[in-house]
Amino acid sequence: MLTQLRPLAALLLAVLLLIAGSGLLGTLLAVRGSLAGITAATLGLVMSAYFVGFLVGTWTGPPLIRRVGHIRAFAIGAALATAAALGHALTDSPWAWAGLRMVSGLALVTLYTVLESWLNADAPPSHRGQVLAIYMGVNLFALAIGQQLLQVAPIGGFELFTLVALLSCLALVPVAWT
């Protein structure tokens, strides 16, 4: 099985970086929004805007991938995720955050589509289920790591948003190796 995973290691590393950043951002926004005095109901709406972007991305992502290819679509998604993360650091406005969450959702579903289709295409049919199970394990592990990264810098500063942006941007590096 390890020989089957070696060619996919770069994609799994990209998943780890992206989802760690995404996990950190989701937790950070909930805590930071609460500290900024945003009500729980408003925060719920802000956080659910991610799924609006996610839904829109299911319609826009596949045509983008067909038009520009996997690597360029991945670069576009990573750039949007990076910009959205940095945008959150500029304001505590729930309306701006909701818009940025929609951008994040759109970017992440595009990135997921690229990564999952790439993994599916590169995994041998006899091991495809195992590869996707490992992918999901990496996904959940990265989400847990991302939430733990909340402890590395002050909640009220810009550093954690910058860390999310760095993780999103660095996910491009392993993809360039494939």
Side-chain angles (χ1 to χ4, degrees):
M1 184 64 199
L2 286 177
T3 57
Q4 305 297 329
L5 285 178
R6 190 164 293 131
L8 304 174
L11 295 175
L12 293 172
L13 178 57
V15 168
L16 182 82
L17 294 167
L18 279 172
I19 304 307
S22 180
L24 172 57
L25 183 61
T27 305
L28 174 60
L29 289 176
V31 174
R32 174 91 172 242
S34 186
L35 289 176
I38 301 172
T39 66
T42 302
L43 267 176
L45 289 172
V46 166
M47 299 305 277
S48 64
Y50 172 87
F51 297 103
V52 173
F54 205 90
L55 178 64
V56 170
T58 63
W59 292 313
T60 61
L64 176 69
I65 294 166
R66 282 191 296 275
R67 198 169 104 239
V68 302
H70 281 80
I71 292 175
R72 286 189 181 116
F74 191 90
I76 291 167
L80 287 173
T82 300
L86 292 173
H88 283 97
L90 299 176
T91 182
D92 284 337
S93 163
W95 301 113
W97 278 12
L100 292 166
R101 289 297 288 163
M102 282 192 276
V103 171
S104 292
L106 187 137
L108 265 290
V109 77
T110 301
L111 292 164
Y112 283 141
T113 303
V114 168
L115 287 166
E116 290 174 11
S117 64
W118 212 335
L119 282 170
N120 197 34
D122 286 357
S126 61
H127 290 92
R128 192 165 288 143
Q130 292 169 322
V131 167
L132 291 176
I134 291 168
Y135 161 76
M136 289 306 299
V138 169
N139 204 322
L140 294 171
F141 177 71
L143 191 60
I145 288 173
Q147 292 172 342
Q148 293 305 311
L149 290 173
L150 194 64
Q151 302 174 54
V152 303
I155 302 290
F158 68 91
E159 296 90 350
L160 291 173
F161 291 112
T162 304
L163 180 56
V164 173
L166 285 170
L167 291 168
S168 298
C169 194
L170 286 173
L172 287 162
V173 176
V175 169
W177 290 334
T178 57

